[in-house]
Amino acid sequence: MSFNVVGFVRASCYLLVLMLSVSAAQAAKIEPFPLATLEAERPIISPSHRILLSPVREVNNEIRSDSLVRLAVRGVGQRMQISPDSGRDEAKDYYLNELASRNAVILFDCTGRDCGRSNVWANQIFNEATLYGRDADQDYLAAAYRDVDDTIHVVLLYTVTRGNQREYVWTEQLSVPEGSVIPGFHASSTRLRGPIIVPWSGGVTYRFDWNANDRRLLQEWTQSETDRVVLVSYSTLGEQGAFEESMRRATDAVESMTVLLGKSGVRKDQITPIIVGPALAFTDPGRQGDRIEIMVVRAP
């Protein structure tokens, strides 16, 4: 019996490539929260899957959201019941840590009644009646990241407490085609992270409205001293306000943010401020008003 060495080598190489591909795919997927029981799983394949990036409401039996995107997706949805020994906060922290390890960008998140009605999320958005719970005890986030194979992934996470005190988490892990436009996610470059949108208020002293997740994400993005932090400062122009005054406020706000970031370890020489003021307008509802948009450019 003859032995085809060339064929064997080719087959072995093909098997190795296949195994590496499977390994990479498995590494990209976030495993279910360990302290939860998987109750339902279904494939999600759609040419126009709805990704909500703002609170949801129902008007005349129609779903309304000020910011959403429809994407061609392929992935899986999973419903899990959280163990009584754990809770929704622990589940969310688990997924946030997994997303942070993948340098994911949080596109939108909300908590409690700010998300809208749980009934709408459960029955109209996810088509999972089991997820119908208390409006005050729910949260949702959408995130995106690029894996080691340059595939773009979108992750949706929803947690809720039902009236019977049982807690659930629903996840959607979706891959999207190259070139997909995702608001807030610069898929064209793995070196560019952001923006993190931080609303600000004030005139003499400045207050920045950003949460712990935003700050943690920025810390994850600035591990190297050679990373550049770009602060793009926007301000509103009132009906009677002067353009120069609006620009001054935008400048003062970015200087205050520079001081604040310095306290968390971001050096001043890493920061590049860009003052836009009221000179550029966006139609995206999430990019309005007095705000600073934080971008991080990773070193080559």
Side-chain angles (χ1 to χ4, degrees), residues 53-65:
L53 302 176
S54 64
V56 66
R57 61 189 186 279
E58 188 177 23
V59 180
N60 297 326
N61 296 321
E62 293 185 0
I63 301 303
R64 302 287 180 84
S65 181

PDB file of all heavy atoms in Angstrom, residues 53-65:
ATOM      1  N   LEU A  53     -29.922  51.888  19.824  1.00  0.00           N
ATOM      2  CA  LEU A  53     -28.853  52.665  20.442  1.00  0.00           C
ATOM      3  C   LEU A  53     -29.405  53.832  21.248  1.00  0.00           C
ATOM      4  O   LEU A  53     -28.718  54.831  21.461  1.00  0.00           O
ATOM      5  CB  LEU A  53     -27.878  53.160  19.361  1.00  0.00           C
ATOM      6  CG  LEU A  53     -27.232  52.069  18.510  1.00  0.00           C
ATOM      7  CD1 LEU A  53     -26.370  52.673  17.422  1.00  0.00           C
ATOM      8  CD2 LEU A  53     -26.411  51.112  19.375  1.00  0.00           C
ATOM      9  N   SER A  54     -30.649  53.715  21.680  1.00  0.00           N
ATOM     10  CA  SER A  54     -31.291  54.706  22.528  1.00  0.00           C
ATOM     11  C   SER A  54     -32.498  54.044  23.175  1.00  0.00           C
ATOM     12  O   SER A  54     -32.895  52.943  22.769  1.00  0.00           O
ATOM     13  CB  SER A  54     -31.704  55.940  21.719  1.00  0.00           C
ATOM     14  OG  SER A  54     -32.677  55.600  20.758  1.00  0.00           O
ATOM     15  N   PRO A  55     -33.101  54.678  24.192  1.00  0.00           N
ATOM     16  CA  PRO A  55     -34.265  54.070  24.846  1.00  0.00           C
ATOM     17  C   PRO A  55     -35.380  53.761  23.852  1.00  0.00           C
ATOM     18  O   PRO A  55     -35.519  54.418  22.819  1.00  0.00           O
ATOM     19  CB  PRO A  55     -34.694  55.149  25.853  1.00  0.00           C
ATOM     20  CG  PRO A  55     -33.443  55.911  26.130  1.00  0.00           C
ATOM     21  CD  PRO A  55     -32.688  55.937  24.837  1.00  0.00           C
ATOM     22  N   VAL A  56     -36.163  52.754  24.192  1.00  0.00           N
ATOM     23  CA  VAL A  56     -37.217  52.293  23.291  1.00  0.00           C
ATOM     24  C   VAL A  56     -38.580  52.703  23.841  1.00  0.00           C
ATOM     25  O   VAL A  56     -38.771  52.827  25.050  1.00  0.00           O
ATOM     26  CB  VAL A  56     -37.147  50.757  23.120  1.00  0.00           C
ATOM     27  CG1 VAL A  56     -37.468  50.049  24.428  1.00  0.00           C
ATOM     28  CG2 VAL A  56     -38.095  50.290  22.027  1.00  0.00           C
ATOM     29  N   ARG A  57     -39.507  52.950  22.934  1.00  0.00           N
ATOM     30  CA  ARG A  57     -40.883  53.223  23.323  1.00  0.00           C
ATOM     31  C   ARG A  57     -41.800  52.670  22.240  1.00  0.00           C
ATOM     32  O   ARG A  57     -41.373  52.396  21.114  1.00  0.00           O
ATOM     33  CB  ARG A  57     -41.128  54.716  23.525  1.00  0.00           C
ATOM     34  CG  ARG A  57     -40.900  55.568  22.285  1.00  0.00           C
ATOM     35  CD  ARG A  57     -40.960  57.047  22.624  1.00  0.00           C
ATOM     36  NE  ARG A  57     -40.897  57.908  21.459  1.00  0.00           N
ATOM     37  CZ  ARG A  57     -39.791  58.238  20.823  1.00  0.00           C
ATOM     38  NH1 ARG A  57     -38.624  57.782  21.276  1.00  0.00           N
ATOM     39  NH2 ARG A  57     -39.817  59.016  19.760  1.00  0.00           N
ATOM     40  N   GLU A  58     -43.054  52.526  22.597  1.00  0.00           N
ATOM     41  CA  GLU A  58     -44.043  51.991  21.672  1.00  0.00           C
ATOM     42  C   GLU A  58     -45.097  53.059  21.411  1.00  0.00           C
ATOM     43  O   GLU A  58     -45.719  53.572  22.341  1.00  0.00           O
ATOM     44  CB  GLU A  58     -44.697  50.733  22.250  1.00  0.00           C
ATOM     45  CG  GLU A  58     -45.594  49.994  21.272  1.00  0.00           C
ATOM     46  CD  GLU A  58     -46.152  48.720  21.881  1.00  0.00           C
ATOM     47  OE1 GLU A  58     -46.208  48.634  23.128  1.00  0.00           O
ATOM     48  OE2 GLU A  58     -46.533  47.824  21.124  1.00  0.00           O
ATOM     49  N   VAL A  59     -45.285  53.421  20.144  1.00  0.00           N
ATOM     50  CA  VAL A  59     -46.242  54.450  19.749  1.00  0.00           C
ATOM     51  C   VAL A  59     -47.153  53.863  18.682  1.00  0.00           C
ATOM     52  O   VAL A  59     -46.682  53.482  17.605  1.00  0.00           O
ATOM     53  CB  VAL A  59     -45.534  55.713  19.212  1.00  0.00           C
ATOM     54  CG1 VAL A  59     -46.565  56.769  18.811  1.00  0.00           C
ATOM     55  CG2 VAL A  59     -44.563  56.271  20.255  1.00  0.00           C
ATOM     56  N   ASN A  60     -48.451  53.769  18.995  1.00  0.00           N
ATOM     57  CA  ASN A  60     -49.417  53.204  18.047  1.00  0.00           C
ATOM     58  C   ASN A  60     -48.976  51.827  17.548  1.00  0.00           C
ATOM     59  O   ASN A  60     -48.990  51.539  16.342  1.00  0.00           O
ATOM     60  CB  ASN A  60     -49.638  54.151  16.861  1.00  0.00           C
ATOM     61  CG  ASN A  60     -50.245  55.473  17.282  1.00  0.00           C
ATOM     62  OD1 ASN A  60     -51.041  55.522  18.214  1.00  0.00           O
ATOM     63  ND2 ASN A  60     -49.849  56.551  16.611  1.00  0.00           N
ATOM     64  N   ASN A  61     -48.532  50.996  18.511  1.00  0.00           N
ATOM     65  CA  ASN A  61     -48.097  49.626  18.224  1.00  0.00           C
ATOM     66  C   ASN A  61     -46.845  49.550  17.360  1.00  0.00           C
ATOM     67  O   ASN A  61     -46.545  48.507  16.785  1.00  0.00           O
ATOM     68  CB  ASN A  61     -49.227  48.826  17.556  1.00  0.00           C
ATOM     69  CG  ASN A  61     -50.414  48.653  18.483  1.00  0.00           C
ATOM     70  OD1 ASN A  61     -50.252  48.436  19.680  1.00  0.00           O
ATOM     71  ND2 ASN A  61     -51.613  48.768  17.929  1.00  0.00           N
ATOM     72  N   GLU A  62     -46.114  50.652  17.253  1.00  0.00           N
ATOM     73  CA  GLU A  62     -44.853  50.670  16.516  1.00  0.00           C
ATOM     74  C   GLU A  62     -43.705  50.965  17.471  1.00  0.00           C
ATOM     75  O   GLU A  62     -43.834  51.783  18.373  1.00  0.00           O
ATOM     76  CB  GLU A  62     -44.879  51.716  15.403  1.00  0.00           C
ATOM     77  CG  GLU A  62     -45.850  51.410  14.275  1.00  0.00           C
ATOM     78  CD  GLU A  62     -45.736  52.409  13.149  1.00  0.00           C
ATOM     79  OE1 GLU A  62     -44.890  53.337  13.250  1.00  0.00           O
ATOM     80  OE2 GLU A  62     -46.493  52.282  12.157  1.00  0.00           O
ATOM     81  N   ILE A  63     -42.581  50.296  17.238  1.00  0.00           N
ATOM     82  CA  ILE A  63     -41.393  50.499  18.058  1.00  0.00           C
ATOM     83  C   ILE A  63     -40.691  51.771  17.600  1.00  0.00           C
ATOM     84  O   ILE A  63     -40.430  51.952  16.419  1.00  0.00           O
ATOM     85  CB  ILE A  63     -40.442  49.299  17.954  1.00  0.00           C
ATOM     86  CG1 ILE A  63     -41.150  48.023  18.415  1.00  0.00           C
ATOM     87  CG2 ILE A  63     -39.185  49.538  18.786  1.00  0.00           C
ATOM     88  CD1 ILE A  63     -41.678  48.104  19.811  1.00  0.00           C
ATOM     89  N   ARG A  64     -40.397  52.640  18.548  1.00  0.00           N
ATOM     90  CA  ARG A  64     -39.693  53.875  18.249  1.00  0.00           C
ATOM     91  C   ARG A  64     -38.421  53.961  19.083  1.00  0.00           C
ATOM     92  O   ARG A  64     -38.420  53.623  20.266  1.00  0.00           O
ATOM     93  CB  ARG A  64     -40.569  55.087  18.540  1.00  0.00           C
ATOM     94  CG  ARG A  64     -41.897  55.116  17.773  1.00  0.00           C
ATOM     95  CD  ARG A  64     -41.696  55.450  16.311  1.00  0.00           C
ATOM     96  NE  ARG A  64     -42.963  55.466  15.588  1.00  0.00           N
ATOM     97  CZ  ARG A  64     -43.785  56.503  15.529  1.00  0.00           C
ATOM     98  NH1 ARG A  64     -43.469  57.612  16.170  1.00  0.00           N
ATOM     99  NH2 ARG A  64     -44.910  56.423  14.840  1.00  0.00           N
ATOM    100  N   SER A  65     -37.359  54.416  18.455  1.00  0.00           N
ATOM    101  CA  SER A  65     -36.097  54.658  19.139  1.00  0.00           C
ATOM    102  C   SER A  65     -35.397  55.781  18.383  1.00  0.00           C
ATOM    103  O   SER A  65     -35.340  55.770  17.146  1.00  0.00           O
ATOM    104  CB  SER A  65     -35.222  53.400  19.155  1.00  0.00           C
ATOM    105  OG  SER A  65     -34.003  53.620  19.838  1.00  0.00           O
TER     106      SER A  65
END
